[in-house]
Amino acid sequence: MAHPANQRGAGSRTARVGPADGEVAPLHLVAPLWNAGTRGIRGLSSAAAPEGNQKKGRSLLQFLADRFYDVQALREYLFRKQAWKMHQKNRPFTYIKERYGPYAAGAYFILKLGGAVKFQGKEWIRSDVRGHFSLDFLKLQTVPVEAVDASGCAVNYQGLDNLLALKELQVLWLQRCPHVDDWCLSRLHPLANSLQELSLAGCPKISERGLACLHHLQNLRKLDISDLPAVSNPGLTQILVEEMLPDCKVVGADWAQGLKLGQEEQYRDIASPIPA
């Protein structure tokens, strides 16, 4: 009788059925997932889900395990998907700008993100709870935008291209914007002749370096820099910003906050026992 190893076909020699004893099989993403041309996790089901595995009520963990063999590959996929969404949200609306002008394009960009805009002599325009808004503002091609409320919106460095064309913009609220950072502040100098009020309150990525870039905005009359977690010394930073913009009212931490924090640290150092 022939040995069982001699009865194996040629094709079985090129693929291992499982790991040998004491050996851990490497985890890899199934190749058809990336080459099937599908979009999103739902589209991946037809490429990777085995037959008879389409049971209802499966848990999220089982759902992902059916499609991904490598956790790192899943993380990379989700990261690329998130980056693509951010790019789409902050892309330039070239068609609207060419047909209706920069004011309408800038307003459309902010309204799509869930913000609000105000044209000169008009009321505020906001989207509803479902993100819908009227397109009547497209008729205001020659009316400048004087105020923008982008509070909490996903504006980033790229998306500022839609706002820098608003040469008559006087008020810009960017508070609690998670993607507004120091590099974004370095781009605001084209608005130096018109911008009078700027709010950066609660932006987690803004530090002293970004605030130093605001020296171009000499026409500012009000600046809110409160609640900036990346600023190490809020009180001292406010003093420096006030000297940099003497005609501007700077709203933020009390100037003595930094001094109080410094005194508390000094007292703790004195009270702490000296190690032997």
Side-chain angles (χ1 to χ4, degrees), residues 249-265:
K249 178 183 178 182
V250 181
V251 179
D254 184 8
W255 67 269
Q257 178 178 353
L259 299 179
K260 292 179 181 179
L261 292 176
Q263 291 177 356
E264 292 177 357
E265 293 177 356

Side-chain angles (χ1 to χ4, degrees), residues 100 103 119 138-144:
Y100 299 100
Y103 304 140
F119 290 81
L138 295 178
K139 303 176 183 179
L140 307 175
Q141 300 182 17
T142 60
V143 181

Side-chain angles (χ1 to χ4, degrees), residues 49-55 58 62 66-67:
E51 295 181 2
N53 202 22
Q54 302 292 335
K55 298 179 180 179
R58 65 178 58 183
Q62 182 65 38
D66 290 343
R67 290 155 177 79

